[in-house]
Amino acid sequence: MSHAAPKVGFVSLGCPKALVDSERILTQLRAEGYAVVPSYDDADVVVVNTCGFIDAAVEESLDAIGEAMAENGKVVVTGCLGARAHLIKERFPDVLSISGPQDYQSVMKAVHAQVPPKHDPFLDLLPPQGIKLTPRHYAYLKISEGCNHRCTFCIIPSMRGDLVSRPVDEVLIEAEKLVRSGVRELLVVSQDTSAYGVDTRYASREWRGEKYQTRMRDLCRGLGELDAWTRLHYVYPYPHVDDIVPLMAEGKVLPYLDIPMQHSNPRILKLMKRPASGEKNLDRIQAWRASCPEITLRSTFIVGFPGETEAEFEELLQFLQAAQLDRVGAFAYSPVAGAKANDLPDPVPEDLKQDRLERFMKTQAKISKKRLKAKVGTLQQVLIDEVGPSVATGRSRADAPEIDGKVYVSAAVAGTRLKPGDRVMVRIDRSDQHDLFGTLAES
Ligand code: SF4
């Protein structure tokens, strides 16, 4: 091939949803013949995909822009923080361009302006699944952008706008392509997966000669046709979620629900402007477990929300005891610039917030540990992520990558027989607070 390809440096920050944006931009860059390089000084231009969700992420993003400016000087900024362009312009008036999330075209335009693409698109340089930043055997599948809720602690709707769902056939075709290229696990992400399709009035589409509506149940039905695990993230406990649980029991999608509940006390949930009250959540959980006993439930909570009393916090601890969730993440409330919750009265003092967070985590740690221990002696299907000389690391159907635990599979033959992406049966020998340890079962 003739002269060197133009080079683009790429920095990707933020959540899985931002990662999907990065993957799209990288795919486009590669399709147009750009080389993506790992160092600043080599690059003709640097793209920084930012996050702006919490103040710490804003700082991290500004630091990344600062570093790229200092090391290279030709910087294109995109992503969530791009939606608050003034913050960037104030500090870095010389960045080449600023665009918000999912604005791939603006990014490409700014890159073209700085360094034009090579003449022929090297489409054949692309692997069939595009460029994935996650290991090849799992991939995030973004089904919508934006959110119709207005939770008072969150500024995503003001940055990303109202819900816009991708038509179901488009999502299923992308999923099909991913699976064809070796992806064994699809992680469905959006701001609110249960609201999928509301904005399209559940538009009907066709896929593989059958009708599917742009709604959660039909999406799951379609994904269930593919030979890959489907894991659902960010699902709110609306009544129609009950329709998905039978699909889990049938093995169409993983028996796993990631439901950000945030609190259990109705007054706090109201202050947060969250849908559904704690009591109903408990009923729902019981019903789900009745129809799919192996379901894994993950959730996130905020402690120390403005106005949270000791009694309300205690109620949250009791909820944890009653709900017996498998996996839980928790944050002490921290004000996000621009969020409505900042104006609420009676903020909880910092040390009290930390104290509550500790008590919360302690309570849940015991529950998670007990639930993991109950798996000792069982056989679990495990998707292998990494293979070492004597131990392979993978995840059971109950473990999402990055956020949940792992399964360590020891076997003399592990190193030779297994490879990442394999699905194997593992007998669980022991557990600790987060992870499981087992041996390969005869298949
Ligand atoms: S559901 Fe609430 S927390 Fe989640 S993105 Fe929408 S507004 Fe933010």
Side-chain angles (χ1 to χ4, degrees):
M1 240 166 281
S2 50
H3 8 270
K7 295 186 185 112
V8 182
F10 204 97
V11 181
S12 180
L13 303 164
C15 64
K17 284 152 271 185
L19 202 64
V20 178
D21 288 349
S22 290
E23 285 169 353
R24 293 244 171 99
I25 298 166
L26 286 170
T27 300
Q28 189 59 33
L29 286 168
R30 283 285 300 273
E32 293 185 6
Y34 288 92
V36 178
V37 292
S39 75
Y40 289 121
D41 30 325
D42 259 8
D44 298 306
V45 59
V46 178
V47 177
V48 182
N49 186 10
T50 58
C51 176
F53 185 37
I54 55 170
D55 287 352
V58 171
E59 271 314 307
E60 193 191 348
S61 295
L62 288 171
D63 285 352
I65 299 167
E67 196 180 303
M69 284 301 287
E71 300 277 327
N72 183 286
K74 285 153 291 178
V75 179
V76 172
V77 179
T78 187
C80 276
L81 189 61
R84 294 152 81 193
H86 62 281
L87 280 181
I88 301 165
K89 279 209 192 108
E90 256 166 37
R91 270 218 232 166
F92 308 107
D94 295 334
V95 295
L96 297 173
S97 120
I98 301 174
S99 54
Q102 310 110 47
D103 195 353
Y104 319 122
Q105 273 183 349
S106 296
V107 177
M108 292 312 296
K109 222 165 107 192
V111 171
H112 293 163
Q114 186 58 32
V115 43
K118 288 199 78 175
H119 229 67
D120 295 320
F122 287 109
L123 280 170
D124 50 344
L125 287 181
L126 278 182
Q129 83 278 21
I131 311 291
K132 308 309 297 174
L133 295 181
T134 44
R136 214 176 120 76
H137 59 279
Y138 66 82
Y140 292 95
L141 189 64
K142 184 147 77 170
I143 58 169
S144 61
E145 297 289 355
C147 181
N148 287 344
H149 297 299
R150 293 294 180 262
C151 302
T152 52
F153 55 81
C154 178
I155 54 168
I156 283 182
S158 66
M159 293 197 304
R160 299 204 159 196
D162 281 341
L163 179 77
V164 180
S165 302
R166 297 175 64 199
V168 70
D169 56 333
E170 203 182 282
V171 176
L172 288 172
I173 288 168
E174 183 182 343
E176 212 173 13
K177 261 195 221 156
L178 288 166
V179 174
R180 217 181 297 135
S181 68
V183 164
R184 311 299 308 275
E185 178 175 7
L186 296 161
L187 303 142
V188 174
V189 292
S190 69
Q191 306 296 344
D192 174 1
T193 297
S194 27
Y196 176 58
V198 178
D199 55 306
T200 69
R201 304 221 174 104
Y202 307 116
S204 250
R205 296 293 183 116
E206 222 181 84
W207 179 67
R208 291 185 172 179
E210 255 191 69
K211 276 221 169 338
Y212 285 83
Q213 281 190 313
T214 302
R215 66 161 76 219
M216 200 180 165
R217 192 177 188 285
D218 279 17
L219 173 71
C220 290
R221 197 162 57 83
L223 292 173
E225 295 296 309
L226 304 173
D227 180 25
W229 283 0
T230 296
R231 196 181 294 283
L232 303 173
H233 286 289
Y234 316 115
V235 176
Y236 290 88
Y238 298 118
H240 69 269
V241 173
D242 300 355
D243 301 343
I244 309 297
V245 179
L247 293 176
M248 296 182 171
E250 279 171 42
K252 295 276 186 201
V253 293
L254 288 182
Y256 180 100
L257 272 181
D258 175 9
I259 318 159
M261 293 188 217
Q262 311 303 11
H263 212 283
S264 64
N265 174 269
R267 191 186 78 90
I268 298 288
L269 286 169
K270 213 162 158 205
L271 286 176
M272 290 177 167
K273 285 214 175 157
R274 303 285 292 179
S277 82
E279 220 175 302
K280 280 197 199 125
N281 282 349
L282 265 190
D283 291 348
R284 285 242 122 73
I285 289 169
Q286 267 160 19
W288 294 338
R289 286 202 173 120
S291 65
C292 181
E294 50 173 1
I295 194 167
T296 296
L297 298 174
R298 147 172 275 280
S299 189
T300 46
F301 292 87
I302 296 175
V303 301
F305 191 74
E308 181 188 63
T309 63
E310 183 58 28
E312 286 162 342
F313 173 69
E314 292 278 344
E315 190 186 310
L316 177 58
L317 294 184
Q318 279 160 22
F319 173 82
L320 282 187
Q321 292 292 4
Q324 295 283 304
L325 303 171
D326 298 271
R327 310 274 188 188
V328 170
F331 304 93
Y333 173 75
S334 106
V336 174
K340 289 235 159 48
N342 300 345
D343 305 331
L344 290 170
D346 308 320
V348 178
E350 202 49 48
D351 52 343
L352 189 53
K353 272 193 237 169
Q354 291 307 326
D355 177 65
R356 285 183 186 170
L357 181 62
E358 237 170 74
R359 286 162 64 200
F360 180 99
M361 294 312 284
K362 247 191 204 154
T363 306
Q364 179 58 37
K366 279 191 202 139
I367 298 170
S368 295
K369 194 172 172 189
K370 194 175 83 195
R371 292 191 70 80
L372 272 183
K373 201 166 176 198
K375 295 188 179 171
V376 173
T378 63
L379 273 180
Q380 298 288 334
Q381 205 185 115
V382 170
L383 180 65
I384 299 295
D385 285 328
E386 273 172 45
V387 181
S390 60
V391 177
T393 315
R395 289 171 295 106
S396 76
R397 301 186 307 163
D399 311 307
E402 318 287 345
I403 49 178
D404 293 330
K406 294 182 168 147
V407 184
Y408 294 93
V409 187
S410 73
V413 287
T416 49
R417 245 176 60 188
L418 296 178
K419 52 184 192 324
D422 280 352
R423 250 186 262 161
V424 291
M425 294 308 288
V426 172
R427 183 169 301 286
I428 304 303
D429 304 321
R430 68 185 177 89
S431 65
D432 66 14
Q433 205 164 306
H434 300 287
D435 304 314
L436 295 171
F437 303 80
T439 25
L440 264 190
E442 291 307 316
S443 42

